[in-house]
Amino acid sequence: MRLAKDGNFEVDLTNCDREPIHELGAVQSFGFLLALSIDWLVRRVSANAEAFLGKSAEDLLGTSAVELLGDHAVHTLRNRLAMLRGNDAVERVFGLKIASGRCFDFALHMIGDTIILEGEDCRDDPSTDIGSAIRAMMARLDETADASSFYREGARQVRALTGFDRVMVYRFDRDGSGVVVAEAARAGIGSFLDLRYPASDIPQQARRLYVRTPFRIIADVDAEPVPILPRLDENGAPIDLSLSVLRSVSPIHIEYLKNMGVGASLSISIIVEGQLWGLFACHHYAARCPSFERRSIAELFGQMFALKLESRERKELAAYELAARFSSDRLLAAVAGDSTLLDNPEWLGTMMRETVPSDGIAIWLDGKVAYSGMTPPAEAFGAITRRLNAMAAGKIFATDRLADTLPAAADYDDVAAGMLAIPISRRPRDYVLLFRQEKIRTVKWAGDPHKPAQLGPNGPRLTPRESFELWSQEVRGRSEPFTNAELRVAEMLRASLIEVVLRLSDDAQEERRRFSERQELLIAELNHRVRNILSLIRGLVRQSLDPEGDARDTIHLLEGRIESLARAHDQITQDNWSAAPLLRLIETEAAAYLAGKAGRVETEGPAVMLHPQAFSTLALVLHELMTNSAKYGALSDNGSVHIAWSVDREGDLAIEWRERGGPAVQPPKRQGFGTTIITRSIPYDLGGRADVRYPLTGLEADFSVPARHIEIDPGRAVRPAPPPEPAPGATAPKLLSGVVLLVEDSLIIAMDAEDILTRLGARRVVTAATLSQAREEIAREVFEAAVLDVNLGAETSLPLADDLAAAGVPFLFATGYGEQLKLPADHAAALVTQKPYTLASISRAIADLLAK
């Protein structure tokens, strides 16, 4: 409400939204209300209690409802109260006799700690078999062929149940207005079919109550409301009648009904997927109040109708989305065979119109537009995309009136009034735009929806409009709206088009345009693997520490274990994180740790492949066995180790480790971390078994790896084991003598590599983290060799390799990408060493580099 220039109040129907219709403090006169404490004492009572209960409201306050209603009635009501489920539940009891001998129908619910009991006289209606009636009504609904006949049959059934003069199925649109989509009415009273009512006719708080209380009756618009006593409680609060069956009616709504000539009304909410889809709106042109039992049957029918409606809509949506998915798959298959089709808006528009009808299409890629059909002029697309760029990224946008979002669009709304924008990238923003032309149509309103109501007899409150005569409005500048089903299909098309764009773009574009779901999945997977690796290394560090041991020995021991994991990881990634051969693992560990003694390890068994988890676990176990044997067992002397494996009947892998010819074996006096790895890793990590024995003749171990961790693939090629590596602590060869350039963007990794290069004889190691730093060092220093990390965060070292090649400085690349690294043709022959940096890998790489 606001003050107009002439000093009068100017009001419109939105004033209704502020009216507390659930706290009017009164009930309708065809029943009574008792508000009871949890110990069944009367806290509030409607003023008409004496007409129903024989005692005045004043005499009932503070008395026990048990004495008033009788033990049997209270017992029945208590039991029904225990059946309440949920905050908005209301229970009913029909034909209950109270202490006075009078028979009532009751409704009861809870508001906070208050029991609300409402009663009305039990009618002598002919008994109805509720189950049979509902089944018959549902069967008639099932026989309807389409939505219109379904709505119409629903209206007929409700009219047959309630006897009202007119029953309408009233459906809400997105803007809150409602339209009568079906009607059943007695002859001679005219028709409201297809009439539209403005959103303001049903205030927002009334819509919320329609969801909480799906049934509402106004029995007589001329009846005086009955106040509830006392009006305010001890805290000064009125009673909350949100769930009340008898709740009185807003004076504004009463006046609204009188203006329509209605004497009684009844409404049943149609709730679909938790939202208010519409109403059964019933009008009678005289007072009318069907029995409580019959009204409850009508409410149950409304709920069943809503379920049937939801089922029908879901079935139609599923069929539509299935057809849309088929069209989307055809689009992808066609583009995969002919990539030039994506540059053809006419073809793309034809394909997309099969799922989302439109009159024109435009494709905005990299600031360029191609369009076909009825679209805005070419110069308008820049403004459209800039407006879209200001919206949330990665979300489709739809409107049936583009001019509401972009005022300049009013200049061409005759050809492109509505738009659906499908983003197909994040940065830069690219779009597929579908346009719908203006649809000029006439809307039949039940009265002028724009005419403001004026101040009237309700004081500074609203007087509802009085005219409900047909009022026609010609709607321009709007297209046919995009439906929710079409928006869901558009989201599916968005994913398909992103896939097409990624497939056809170059590597840089592909990175920029990768949609969020795939990117987030990769980040999560990477985060998971890195955390696992860090946790494993932290565990190795903690468990390898020996407070009483020599620090250098501890470092060498830890280096060996970490290098064992790195070797295992390299072998797995060589096969794209798939199964790798057991034999290769054994040969690699023997060569890596035992050097010249590797030939004393004998192997025997079939071609068995280990899945990545099993491969990493066995790498640690075999490393500890090799280490112990080289220090204390058969390989420390002149003995040998025999490793045999086989697959048993259950498909499990059985591995035998046997040492012979070494010194006499004694069981360890304490179980260190290495022994724990040998005995517990396979049972704990893989669910297998481990048995270790210490006979004097040599250590024996038997392991069993479950079948789910292995594959048998005799035809698969096995890569040769790497050449022997020096054992931890061995003297490093002096391969270098001058200054070496190390380009590495991680300080910790750079420090480790610097130590290794120094051990290999480098007089000095110059480190740089970026291209600019490295170029400054090259300008003032002569280098014997260079080690370049390929990936430097936001840049690569490839330009630096060109500079070094021009200067005649030998260099090699270092990377953690494994065999997935693809170097450009100019450097395809360059030497590449894998991270992490180890003395063995760097010494081999430097030796090959200098020899080359």
Side-chain angles (χ1 to χ4, degrees), residues 517-533 577:
E517 291 84 358
R518 184 176 178 186
Q519 186 181 49
E520 288 162 4
L521 178 64
L522 290 173
I523 290 173
E525 177 65 20
L526 178 62
N527 183 50
H528 172 73
R529 290 193 181 184
V530 170
R531 283 179 177 274
N532 282 347
I533 291 172
W577 204 258

Side-chain angles (χ1 to χ4, degrees), residues 652-808:
D652 297 341
L653 175 64
I655 303 175
E656 297 179 355
W657 173 284
R658 300 290 186 269
E659 297 188 20
R660 294 291 183 268
V665 173
Q666 297 291 333
K669 296 180 181 179
R670 67 179 184 88
Q671 181 164 320
F673 182 51
T675 305
T676 300
I677 290 177
I678 295 171
T679 58
R680 295 188 60 189
S681 290
I682 292 176
Y684 189 88
D685 291 339
L686 307 180
R689 298 189 304 275
D691 179 26
V692 181
R693 301 176 297 280
Y694 301 92
L696 288 175
T697 54
L699 183 141
E700 297 179 356
D702 293 310
F703 306 102
S704 177
V705 179
R708 64 179 178 275
H709 296 292
I710 69 170
E711 294 178 13
I712 306 297
D713 188 4
R716 187 161 180 175
V718 177
R719 300 172 189 263
E725 298 186 12
T731 302
K734 301 299 182 181
L735 302 174
L736 299 166
S737 59
V739 182
V740 177
L741 173 64
L742 172 64
V743 181
E744 169 62 61
D745 63 341
S746 170
L747 175 62
I748 302 300
I749 297 176
M751 293 171 63
D752 191 27
E754 186 177 354
D755 290 343
I756 293 173
L757 292 169
T758 302
R759 290 178 63 185
L760 292 175
R763 176 164 50 87
R764 186 162 57 90
V765 178
V766 176
T767 59
T770 64
L771 283 180
S772 59
Q773 293 176 4
R775 281 172 168 157
E776 290 175 4
E777 297 295 345
I778 292 174
R780 58 173 171 254
E781 186 72 69
V782 177
F783 294 103
E784 180 183 7
V787 179
L788 310 178
D789 182 13
V790 177
N791 190 346
L792 300 175
E795 56 189 1
T796 71
S797 61
L798 294 177
L800 194 63
D802 296 333
D803 297 345
L804 292 170

